[in-house]
Amino acid sequence: QVQLVESGGGLVQAGGSLRLSCAASGSISSIIAMGWYRQAPGKPRELVATITNLGRTNYAASVKGRFTISRENAKNTVYLQMNSLKADDTAVYYCRISQYSGTGYADYWGQGTQVTVST
């Protein structure tokens, strides 16, 4: 059993910043990747940013230069620093962690945290 606890979402004005955190607890084995996804009203869920166990990062084109993903392995935590927020960033943000437990690979998802950017 793995539990992901997300925090940092909320309401912010356009141009402002937020920092999302996602901490994993429970039966943590070998985390191979962490990431953030989001889903806006009327839109499919999309990748925002990912980071692998080797430190390789990947960003959606819409957030490059504004968002930064990072990790703190000792705490099994992934962060998403969001700067210069726009109204289009409004969405429910979901944390995802992939790990290998010895029996196979598994993905774990957070419950989602609402980010609302006001104009």
Side-chain angles (χ1 to χ4, degrees):
Q1 175 72 10
V2 174
Q3 181 181 16
L4 304 183
V5 179
E6 301 179 21
S7 63
L11 176 66
V12 65
Q13 294 185 9
S17 299
L18 285 174
R19 190 190 192 199
L20 305 183
S21 299
C22 177
S25 62
S27 301
I28 305 299
S29 297
S30 299
I31 296 175
I32 60 175
M34 304 176 178
W36 292 94
Y37 295 72
R38 68 185 182 187
Q39 187 168 19
K43 299 285 187 177
R45 186 176 298 186
E46 65 176 354
L47 181 149
V48 177
T50 60
I51 184 168
T52 72
N53 61 326
L54 299 178
R56 187 180 183 91
T57 58
N58 185 44
Y59 296 91
S62 60
V63 307
K64 284 183 178 179
R66 298 189 298 118
F67 291 9
T68 302
I69 188 170
S70 62
R71 65 185 183 183
E72 194 168 352
N73 290 339
K75 296 182 178 180
N76 297 315
T77 300
V78 61
Y79 305 94
L80 185 68
Q81 178 66 47
M82 304 184 293
N83 299 326
S84 302
L85 283 162
K86 306 174 180 179
D88 288 346
D89 295 319
T90 296
V92 177
Y93 284 70
Y94 297 91
C95 171
R96 180 187 64 82
I97 294 179
S98 299
Q99 71 166 10
Y100 180 75
S101 65
T103 60
Y105 295 92
D107 289 341
Y108 300 90
W109 292 84
Q111 297 182 29
T113 183
Q114 178 70 49
V115 172
T116 302
V117 183
S118 64
T119 59

